[in-house]
Amino acid sequence: MISLYVDDMVIIGNANNLIKEIKQQMSQVFEMKDLGNLNYCLGLEVWRDFGQTFLTQGKYAKSLLERFRMEQCRSAATPLQ
């Protein structure tokens, strides 16, 4: 899967050889940089652990708390099933 937003591109898949080939072919046509594994994109933090991929907006939530001077507020539990 290839996702493109303005000048940011994310390529994901389970065929590493195909991903390398796509990047090589695109770099012959376009000026581009390979920034390695995805860590942060469009407000989402991304990380992998034990074969699972996790997405969070923790950085965005912290910036909202700082913006409204609520860094010291207490959290409230929200029960979910």
Side-chain angles (χ1 to χ4, degrees):
M1 176 188 288
I2 299 174
S3 174
L4 180 65
Y5 181 77
V6 184
D7 63 349
D8 293 321
M9 182 181 346
V10 177
I11 304 173
I12 60 172
N14 57 4
N16 290 333
N17 291 338
L18 182 58
I19 292 173
K20 287 179 185 178
E21 184 179 332
I22 290 169
K23 290 192 294 188
Q24 180 186 21
Q25 289 179 5
M26 291 191 74
S27 68
Q28 292 175 357
V29 178
F30 304 102
E31 181 181 334
M32 56 185 268
K33 296 179 190 174
D34 185 353
L35 300 177
N37 290 334
L38 181 64
N39 294 315
Y40 192 79
C41 183
L42 300 174
L44 288 174
E45 295 174 69
V46 182
W47 77 93
R48 294 180 56 97
D49 195 16
F50 299 110
Q52 295 180 327
T53 302
F54 299 92
L55 302 172
T56 183
Q57 288 186 297
K59 186 175 179 181
Y60 175 69
K62 286 180 186 180
S63 71
L64 281 178
L65 290 172
E66 290 171 2
R67 181 176 174 187
F68 294 104
R69 298 183 185 144
M70 296 180 65
E71 304 94 354
Q72 303 302 321
C73 69
R74 296 188 308 182
S75 62
T78 305
L80 295 174
Q81 291 196 23

Coordinates of all heavy atoms in Angstrom, one line a residue:
M1 N 0.8 -1.2 0.0 CA 0.0 0.0 0.0 C 0.9 1.2 0.0 O 1.9 1.3 0.7 CB -0.9 0.0 1.2 CG -1.7 1.3 1.3 SD -2.6 1.5 2.9 CE -3.9 0.2 2.7
I2 N 0.5 2.2 -0.8 CA 1.3 3.4 -0.9 C 0.3 4.6 -0.5 O -0.8 4.7 -1.1 CB 1.9 3.7 -2.3 CG1 2.9 2.6 -2.6 CG2 2.5 5.0 -2.3 CD1 3.4 2.7 -4.0
S3 N 0.7 5.4 0.5 CA -0.2 6.5 0.9 C 0.7 7.8 0.6 O 1.8 7.9 1.0 CB -0.5 6.4 2.3 OG -1.2 7.5 2.8
L4 N 0.0 8.7 -0.1 CA 0.7 10.0 -0.4 C -0.1 11.1 0.1 O -1.3 11.2 -0.2 CB 0.9 10.1 -1.9 CG 1.6 11.3 -2.5 CD1 3.1 11.3 -2.0 CD2 1.6 11.3 -4.0
Y5 N 0.5 12.0 0.8 CA -0.1 13.2 1.3 C 0.8 14.4 1.1 O 1.9 14.5 1.7 CB -0.5 13.1 2.8 CG -1.2 14.3 3.3 CD1 -2.5 14.6 3.0 CD2 -0.5 15.3 4.1 CE1 -3.2 15.7 3.5 CE2 -1.1 16.4 4.6 CZ -2.5 16.6 4.3 OH -3.1 17.7 4.8
V6 N 0.5 15.3 0.2 CA 1.3 16.4 -0.3 C 2.7 15.9 -0.7 O 2.9 15.4 -1.8 CB 1.4 17.5 0.8 CG1 2.2 18.7 0.3 CG2 0.0 17.9 1.3
D7 N 3.7 16.0 0.2 CA 5.1 15.6 -0.2 C 5.6 14.4 0.8 O 6.8 14.2 0.8 CB 6.1 16.7 -0.2 CG 6.2 17.4 1.2 OD1 5.4 17.1 2.1 OD2 7.2 18.2 1.3
D8 N 4.7 13.8 1.5 CA 5.0 12.7 2.4 C 4.4 11.4 1.8 O 3.2 11.4 1.5 CB 4.5 12.9 3.8 CG 5.2 14.1 4.5 OD1 6.4 14.2 4.3 OD2 4.5 14.8 5.2
M9 N 5.2 10.4 1.7 CA 4.7 9.1 1.2 C 5.1 8.0 2.2 O 6.1 8.0 2.8 CB 5.4 8.7 -0.1 CG 4.9 7.4 -0.7 SD 5.7 6.9 -2.2 CE 6.6 8.3 -2.8
V10 N 4.1 7.1 2.4 CA 4.3 6.0 3.3 C 4.0 4.7 2.5 O 3.0 4.6 1.8 CB 3.3 6.0 4.5 CG1 3.5 4.8 5.4 CG2 3.5 7.3 5.3
I11 N 5.0 3.8 2.5 CA 4.9 2.6 1.8 C 4.9 1.4 2.8 O 5.8 1.3 3.6 CB 6.0 2.3 0.8 CG1 6.1 3.5 -0.2 CG2 5.8 1.0 0.0 CD1 7.3 3.4 -1.1
I12 N 3.8 0.6 2.8 CA 3.7 -0.5 3.8 C 3.4 -1.8 3.0 O 2.8 -1.7 1.9 CB 2.7 -0.2 4.9 CG1 1.3 0.0 4.3 CG2 3.1 1.0 5.7 CD1 0.2 0.0 5.3
G13 N 3.8 -2.9 3.6 CA 3.5 -4.2 3.0 C 4.3 -5.3 3.7 O 5.2 -5.0 4.5
N14 N 4.1 -6.5 3.3 CA 4.8 -7.6 3.9 C 5.8 -8.2 2.9 O 6.4 -9.2 3.2 CB 3.8 -8.7 4.4 CG 2.9 -9.2 3.3 OD1 3.0 -8.8 2.2 ND2 2.0 -10.0 3.7
A15 N 6.0 -7.6 1.8 CA 7.0 -8.0 0.8 C 8.1 -7.0 0.7 O 8.1 -6.1 -0.1 CB 6.4 -8.2 -0.6
N16 N 9.1 -7.2 1.6 CA 10.2 -6.2 1.6 C 11.0 -6.0 0.3 O 11.3 -4.9 0.0 CB 11.2 -6.6 2.7 CG 10.7 -6.5 4.1 OD1 9.8 -5.7 4.3 ND2 11.2 -7.3 5.0
N17 N 11.1 -7.1 -0.5 CA 11.8 -6.9 -1.8 C 11.0 -6.1 -2.7 O 11.5 -5.2 -3.4 CB 12.0 -8.3 -2.4 CG 13.0 -9.1 -1.7 OD1 13.9 -8.6 -1.0 ND2 13.0 -10.5 -1.8
L18 N 9.7 -6.2 -2.7 CA 8.8 -5.4 -3.5 C 8.9 -3.9 -3.1 O 8.9 -3.0 -3.9 CB 7.4 -5.9 -3.5 CG 6.4 -5.1 -4.4 CD1 6.8 -5.1 -5.8 CD2 5.0 -5.7 -4.2
I19 N 8.9 -3.7 -1.8 CA 9.0 -2.3 -1.3 C 10.3 -1.7 -1.7 O 10.3 -0.5 -2.2 CB 8.8 -2.3 0.3 CG1 7.4 -2.6 0.6 CG2 9.2 -0.9 0.8 CD1 7.2 -2.8 2.1
K20 N 11.4 -2.4 -1.6 CA 12.7 -1.9 -2.0 C 12.7 -1.6 -3.5 O 13.2 -0.5 -4.0 CB 13.8 -2.9 -1.7 CG 14.2 -3.0 -0.3 CD 15.2 -4.1 0.0 CE 15.5 -4.2 1.4 NZ 16.5 -5.3 1.7
E21 N 12.1 -2.4 -4.3 CA 12.0 -2.2 -5.8 C 11.2 -1.0 -6.1 O 11.6 -0.2 -6.9 CB 11.4 -3.4 -6.4 CG 11.4 -3.3 -8.0 CD 10.8 -4.6 -8.6 OE1 10.9 -5.7 -8.0 OE2 10.2 -4.4 -9.7
I22 N 10.1 -0.8 -5.4 CA 9.2 0.4 -5.6 C 10.0 1.7 -5.3 O 10.0 2.6 -6.1 CB 7.9 0.3 -4.8 CG1 7.0 -0.8 -5.4 CG2 7.2 1.7 -4.8 CD1 5.8 -1.1 -4.5
K23 N 10.7 1.7 -4.1 CA 11.5 2.8 -3.7 C 12.6 3.1 -4.8 O 12.9 4.3 -5.1 CB 12.1 2.7 -2.3 CG 11.0 2.7 -1.3 CD 11.6 2.8 0.1 CE 12.4 1.6 0.6 NZ 12.7 1.6 2.0
Q24 N 13.3 2.1 -5.3 CA 14.3 2.3 -6.2 C 13.8 2.9 -7.5 O 14.4 3.8 -8.1 CB 15.0 0.9 -6.5 CG 16.2 1.0 -7.5 CD 16.7 -0.3 -7.8 OE1 16.1 -1.4 -7.7 NE2 17.9 -0.4 -8.3
Q25 N 12.7 2.3 -8.0 CA 12.1 2.8 -9.3 C 11.6 4.3 -9.1 O 11.8 5.1 -10.0 CB 11.0 1.9 -9.7 CG 11.5 0.6 -10.2 CD 10.3 -0.3 -10.7 OE1 9.2 0.1 -10.7 NE2 10.6 -1.5 -11.0
M26 N 11.0 4.6 -8.0 CA 10.5 6.0 -7.8 C 11.7 7.0 -7.6 O 11.6 8.1 -8.1 CB 9.6 6.0 -6.6 CG 8.3 5.3 -6.8 SD 7.1 5.5 -5.6 CE 6.6 7.2 -6.0
S27 N 12.8 6.5 -7.0 CA 13.9 7.4 -6.8 C 14.6 7.8 -8.1 O 15.3 8.8 -8.2 CB 14.9 6.9 -5.8 OG 15.5 5.7 -6.3
Q28 N 14.4 6.9 -9.1 CA 15.0 7.2 -10.5 C 14.2 8.3 -11.2 O 14.7 9.0 -12.0 CB 15.0 5.9 -11.3 CG 16.0 4.9 -10.8 CD 15.9 3.6 -11.6 OE1 15.1 3.4 -12.4 NE2 16.8 2.7 -11.2
V29 N 12.9 8.5 -10.8 CA 12.0 9.5 -11.4 C 11.9 10.7 -10.6 O 11.9 11.8 -11.1 CB 10.6 8.9 -11.7 CG1 9.7 9.9 -12.3 CG2 10.8 7.6 -12.6
F30 N 11.8 10.6 -9.3 CA 11.6 11.7 -8.4 C 12.7 11.8 -7.4 O 13.4 10.9 -7.0 CB 10.3 11.5 -7.5 CG 9.1 11.2 -8.4 CD1 8.6 9.9 -8.5 CD2 8.4 12.3 -9.0 CE1 7.5 9.7 -9.3 CE2 7.3 12.1 -9.8 CZ 6.8 10.8 -9.9
E31 N 13.0 13.1 -7.0 CA 13.9 13.3 -5.9 C 13.3 13.0 -4.6 O 12.2 13.5 -4.3 CB 14.3 14.8 -5.9 CG 15.4 15.1 -4.8 CD 15.7 16.6 -4.8 OE1 15.6 17.3 -5.9 OE2 16.1 17.1 -3.7
M32 N 13.9 12.0 -3.9 CA 13.2 11.6 -2.6 C 14.3 11.1 -1.6 O 15.4 10.8 -2.0 CB 12.2 10.5 -2.9 CG 12.7 9.3 -3.6 SD 11.4 8.1 -4.0 CE 11.5 7.0 -2.6
K33 N 13.9 11.1 -0.4 CA 14.7 10.6 0.7 C 14.0 9.4 1.4 O 12.8 9.5 1.6 CB 15.0 11.7 1.8 CG 15.7 12.9 1.3 CD 15.9 13.9 2.4 CE 16.4 15.2 1.9 NZ 16.4 16.2 3.0
D34 N 14.8 8.4 1.8 CA 14.2 7.3 2.5 C 14.5 7.6 4.0 O 15.7 7.6 4.4 CB 14.9 6.0 2.1 CG 14.3 4.8 2.8 OD1 13.4 5.0 3.7 OD2 14.6 3.7 2.4
L35 N 13.5 7.9 4.8 CA 13.6 8.3 6.2 C 13.6 7.1 7.1 O 13.5 7.2 8.3 CB 12.6 9.3 6.6 CG 12.6 10.6 5.8 CD1 11.5 11.5 6.2 CD2 13.9 11.3 6.0
G36 N 13.5 5.9 6.5 CA 13.6 4.6 7.3 C 12.2 4.3 7.8 O 11.2 4.6 7.2
N37 N 12.2 3.6 9.0 CA 10.9 3.1 9.5 C 10.0 4.3 10.0 O 10.6 5.3 10.5 CB 11.1 2.2 10.7 CG 11.7 0.9 10.3 OD1 11.5 0.5 9.2 ND2 12.4 0.2 11.2
L38 N 8.7 4.2 9.8 CA 7.8 5.2 10.2 C 7.7 5.3 11.7 O 7.4 4.3 12.4 CB 6.4 4.9 9.6 CG 5.3 5.9 9.8 CD1 5.6 7.2 9.1 CD2 4.0 5.4 9.3
N39 N 7.9 6.5 12.2 CA 7.7 6.8 13.7 C 6.6 7.8 13.9 O 5.9 7.7 14.9 CB 9.0 7.3 14.3 CG 10.1 6.3 14.2 OD1 9.8 5.1 14.6 ND2 11.3 6.7 13.8
Y40 N 6.5 8.8 13.0 CA 5.5 9.9 13.2 C 5.0 10.4 11.9 O 5.9 10.6 11.0 CB 6.2 11.0 14.0 CG 5.2 12.0 14.5 CD1 4.5 11.8 15.7 CD2 5.1 13.2 13.9 CE1 3.6 12.7 16.2 CE2 4.2 14.2 14.4 CZ 3.4 13.9 15.5 OH 2.6 14.9 16.0
C41 N 3.7 10.5 11.7 CA 3.2 11.0 10.4 C 1.8 11.6 10.6 O 0.9 10.9 11.1 CB 3.1 9.8 9.4 SG 2.6 10.3 7.8
L42 N 1.7 12.8 10.2 CA 0.4 13.5 10.2 C -0.3 13.4 11.6 O -1.5 13.1 11.7 CB -0.6 12.9 9.1 CG 0.0 13.0 7.7 CD1 -1.0 12.3 6.7 CD2 0.1 14.5 7.3
G43 N 0.5 13.6 12.6 CA -0.1 13.7 14.0 C -0.2 12.3 14.6 O -0.7 12.2 15.8
L44 N 0.1 11.2 13.9 CA 0.1 9.9 14.5 C 1.5 9.4 14.9 O 2.4 9.5 14.0 CB -0.6 8.9 13.5 CG -2.0 9.0 13.2 CD1 -2.4 8.0 12.1 CD2 -2.8 8.7 14.5
E45 N 1.6 8.9 16.1 CA 2.8 8.2 16.5 C 2.6 6.8 16.1 O 1.6 6.2 16.4 CB 3.1 8.4 18.0 CG 3.3 9.8 18.4 CD 3.5 10.0 19.9 OE1 4.4 9.5 20.4 OE2 2.5 10.6 20.4
V46 N 3.6 6.2 15.5 CA 3.6 4.8 15.1 C 4.7 4.0 15.7 O 5.9 4.5 15.6 CB 3.6 4.7 13.6 CG1 3.5 3.3 13.1 CG2 2.6 5.6 12.9
W47 N 4.5 2.8 16.2 CA 5.5 1.9 16.7 C 5.1 0.5 16.6 O 3.9 0.2 16.6 CB 6.1 2.3 18.1 CG 5.2 1.9 19.2 CD1 5.3 0.8 20.0 CD2 4.1 2.6 19.8 NE1 4.4 0.7 21.0 CE2 3.6 1.9 20.9 CE3 3.5 3.8 19.5 CZ2 2.6 2.3 21.7 CZ3 2.5 4.3 20.3 CH2 2.0 3.5 21.4
R48 N 6.1 -0.4 16.5 CA 5.9 -1.8 16.4 C 6.5 -2.5 17.6 O 7.6 -2.1 18.0 CB 6.5 -2.4 15.1 CG 5.8 -1.9 13.8 CD 6.5 -2.5 12.6 NE 6.4 -3.9 12.7 CZ 5.5 -4.7 12.1 NH1 4.6 -4.2 11.4 NH2 5.6 -6.0 12.2
D49 N 5.8 -3.5 18.1 CA 6.3 -4.3 19.2 C 5.8 -5.7 19.1 O 4.5 -5.9 19.0 CB 5.9 -3.6 20.5 CG 6.6 -4.1 21.7 OD1 7.7 -4.7 21.6 OD2 6.2 -3.9 22.9
F50 N 6.6 -6.7 19.1 CA 6.2 -8.1 19.1 C 5.3 -8.4 17.9 O 4.3 -9.1 18.0 CB 5.6 -8.5 20.4 CG 6.4 -8.4 21.6 CD1 6.2 -7.4 22.5 CD2 7.6 -9.2 21.8 CE1 7.0 -7.3 23.7 CE2 8.4 -9.0 22.9 CZ 8.1 -8.1 23.8
G51 N 5.6 -7.8 16.7 CA 4.9 -8.1 15.5 C 3.6 -7.3 15.4 O 2.8 -7.5 14.5
Q52 N 3.3 -6.5 16.4 CA 2.0 -5.7 16.3 C 2.4 -4.2 16.0 O 3.4 -3.7 16.4 CB 1.3 -5.8 17.6 CG 0.8 -7.2 17.9 CD 0.0 -7.2 19.2 OE1 0.3 -6.5 20.1 NE2 -1.0 -8.1 19.3
T53 N 1.5 -3.5 15.4 CA 1.6 -2.1 15.1 C 0.7 -1.3 15.9 O -0.5 -1.6 16.0 CB 1.4 -1.8 13.6 OG1 2.3 -2.6 12.8 CG2 1.6 -0.4 13.3
F54 N 1.2 -0.2 16.5 CA 0.4 0.6 17.4 C 0.4 2.0 16.9 O 1.4 2.5 16.4 CB 0.9 0.6 18.8 CG 1.0 -0.8 19.5 CD1 2.1 -1.6 19.4 CD2 -0.2 -1.2 20.2 CE1 2.1 -2.8 19.9 CE2 -0.1 -2.5 20.8 CZ 1.0 -3.3 20.6
L55 N -0.8 2.7 17.0 CA -1.0 4.1 16.6 C -1.5 4.8 17.8 O -2.4 4.3 18.5 CB -2.0 4.2 15.4 CG -1.7 3.5 14.2 CD1 -2.9 3.6 13.2 CD2 -0.5 4.0 13.5
T56 N -1.0 6.0 18.0 CA -1.5 6.8 19.1 C -1.4 8.3 18.7 O -0.6 8.7 17.8 CB -0.7 6.6 20.4 OG1 -1.3 7.4 21.5 CG2 0.8 7.0 20.3
Q57 N -2.1 9.1 19.4 CA -2.1 10.6 19.2 C -1.7 11.2 20.5 O -2.1 12.3 20.9 CB -3.4 11.1 18.7 CG -3.7 10.8 17.3 CD -5.0 11.4 16.8 OE1 -6.0 11.2 17.3 NE2 -4.8 12.3 15.8
G58 N -0.8 10.6 21.3 CA -0.4 11.1 22.6 C 0.3 12.5 22.5 O 0.0 13.3 23.3
K59 N 1.1 12.7 21.5 CA 1.8 14.0 21.4 C 0.8 15.1 21.1 O 0.9 16.2 21.7 CB 2.8 13.9 20.2 CG 3.6 15.1 20.1 CD 4.7 14.9 19.0 CE 5.5 16.2 18.8 NZ 6.5 16.0 17.7
Y60 N -0.2 14.8 20.3 CA -1.3 15.7 20.0 C -2.1 16.0 21.3 O -2.4 17.2 21.6 CB -2.2 15.2 18.9 CG -3.4 16.0 18.6 CD1 -3.2 17.3 18.0 CD2 -4.7 15.6 18.9 CE1 -4.3 18.1 17.7 CE2 -5.8 16.4 18.6 CZ -5.6 17.6 18.0 OH -6.7 18.4 17.8
A61 N -2.4 15.0 22.0 CA -3.2 15.2 23.3 C -2.4 16.0 24.3 O -3.0 16.9 24.9 CB -3.6 13.8 23.9
K62 N -1.1 15.8 24.4 CA -0.3 16.6 25.3 C -0.3 18.1 24.9 O -0.3 19.0 25.7 CB 1.1 16.0 25.4 CG 1.2 14.8 26.2 CD 2.6 14.2 26.2 CE 2.7 12.9 26.9 NZ 4.0 12.4 27.0
S63 N -0.2 18.3 23.5 CA -0.1 19.7 23.1 C -1.4 20.4 23.3 O -1.5 21.6 23.6 CB 0.3 19.7 21.6 OG -0.8 19.3 20.8
L64 N -2.6 19.7 23.2 CA -3.9 20.3 23.6 C -3.9 20.6 25.0 O -4.4 21.7 25.4 CB -5.0 19.3 23.2 CG -5.4 19.2 21.8 CD1 -6.6 18.2 21.6 CD2 -5.9 20.6 21.2
L65 N -3.5 19.7 25.9 CA -3.5 20.0 27.3 C -2.6 21.3 27.6 O -3.0 22.1 28.4 CB -3.0 18.8 28.1 CG -3.9 17.6 28.2 CD1 -3.3 16.4 28.8 CD2 -5.2 18.0 28.9
E66 N -1.4 21.4 27.0 CA -0.6 22.5 27.2 C -1.2 23.8 26.7 O -1.2 24.8 27.3 CB 0.8 22.3 26.5 CG 1.6 21.2 27.2 CD 2.8 20.9 26.4 OE1 3.1 21.5 25.3 OE2 3.6 20.0 26.8
R67 N -1.9 23.7 25.5 CA -2.5 24.9 24.9 C -3.6 25.5 25.8 O -3.7 26.7 25.9 CB -3.1 24.4 23.6 CG -3.8 25.5 22.8 CD -4.3 25.0 21.5 NE -5.0 26.0 20.8 CZ -5.7 25.8 19.7 NH1 -5.6 24.6 19.1 NH2 -6.4 26.7 19.1
F68 N -4.3 24.6 26.5 CA -5.4 25.1 27.4 C -5.0 25.1 28.8 O -5.9 25.2 29.7 CB -6.7 24.3 27.1 CG -7.2 24.5 25.7 CD1 -7.1 23.5 24.7 CD2 -7.9 25.7 25.4 CE1 -7.6 23.7 23.5 CE2 -8.4 25.9 24.1 CZ -8.2 24.9 23.2
R69 N -3.7 25.0 29.1 CA -3.1 25.0 30.4 C -3.8 24.0 31.4 O -4.2 24.3 32.5 CB -3.2 26.4 31.0 CG -2.5 27.4 30.2 CD -2.5 28.8 30.8 NE -1.9 29.7 29.9 CZ -2.2 30.9 29.7 NH1 -3.3 31.4 30.3 NH2 -1.6 31.7 28.8
M70 N -3.9 22.8 30.9 CA -4.5 21.7 31.7 C -3.6 20.5 31.9 O -4.0 19.4 32.2 CB -5.8 21.2 30.9 CG -6.9 22.2 30.8 SD -8.3 21.6 29.9 CE -8.9 20.3 31.0
E71 N -2.2 20.8 31.9 CA -1.3 19.7 32.1 C -1.4 19.0 33.4 O -1.1 17.9 33.6 CB 0.2 20.2 32.0 CG 0.5 20.9 30.7 CD 0.4 22.5 30.8 OE1 -0.1 23.0 31.8 OE2 0.7 23.1 29.8
Q72 N -1.9 19.8 34.4 CA -2.0 19.2 35.8 C -3.4 18.6 36.1 O -3.7 18.3 37.2 CB -1.6 20.3 36.8 CG -0.2 20.9 36.6 CD 0.8 19.8 36.7 OE1 0.8 18.9 37.5 NE2 1.8 20.0 35.8
C73 N -4.3 18.6 35.1 CA -5.6 18.1 35.4 C -5.6 16.6 35.7 O -4.7 15.9 35.3 CB -6.5 18.3 34.2 SG -6.2 17.3 32.7
R74 N -6.6 16.1 36.4 CA -6.7 14.7 36.8 C -7.5 14.0 35.8 O -8.5 14.5 35.2 CB -7.3 14.6 38.2 CG -6.5 15.2 39.3 CD -7.0 14.9 40.6 NE -8.4 15.3 40.7 CZ -9.2 15.1 41.8 NH1 -8.6 14.7 42.9 NH2 -10.4 15.4 41.8
S75 N -7.1 12.8 35.5 CA -7.8 12.0 34.5 C -9.0 11.3 35.2 O -9.0 11.2 36.4 CB -6.9 10.9 33.9 OG -6.4 10.0 34.9
A76 N -9.9 10.9 34.4 CA -11.1 10.2 34.9 C -11.2 8.9 34.1 O -11.1 8.8 32.9 CB -12.4 11.0 34.7
A77 N -11.5 7.8 34.8 CA -11.6 6.5 34.2 C -12.9 6.4 33.4 O -14.0 7.0 33.8 CB -11.7 5.4 35.2
T78 N -12.8 5.8 32.2 CA -14.0 5.7 31.3 C -14.2 4.2 31.1 O -13.4 3.6 30.4 CB -13.8 6.4 30.0 OG1 -13.5 7.8 30.2 CG2 -15.0 6.3 29.1
P79 N -15.2 3.6 31.7 CA -15.3 2.1 31.6 C -15.8 1.7 30.2 O -16.7 2.3 29.6 CB -16.4 1.8 32.6 CG -17.1 3.0 32.8 CD -16.2 4.2 32.6
L80 N -15.1 0.8 29.6 CA -15.4 0.3 28.3 C -15.3 -1.3 28.3 O -14.6 -1.8 29.0 CB -14.4 0.8 27.2 CG -14.4 2.3 26.9 CD1 -13.3 2.6 26.0 CD2 -15.7 2.7 26.3
Q81 N -16.2 -1.9 27.5 CA -16.1 -3.3 27.4 C -15.3 -3.8 26.2 O -15.3 -3.2 25.2 CB -17.5 -3.9 27.3 CG -18.2 -3.7 28.6 CD -19.5 -4.7 28.7 OE1 -19.5 -5.7 28.0 NE2 -20.4 -4.3 29.5

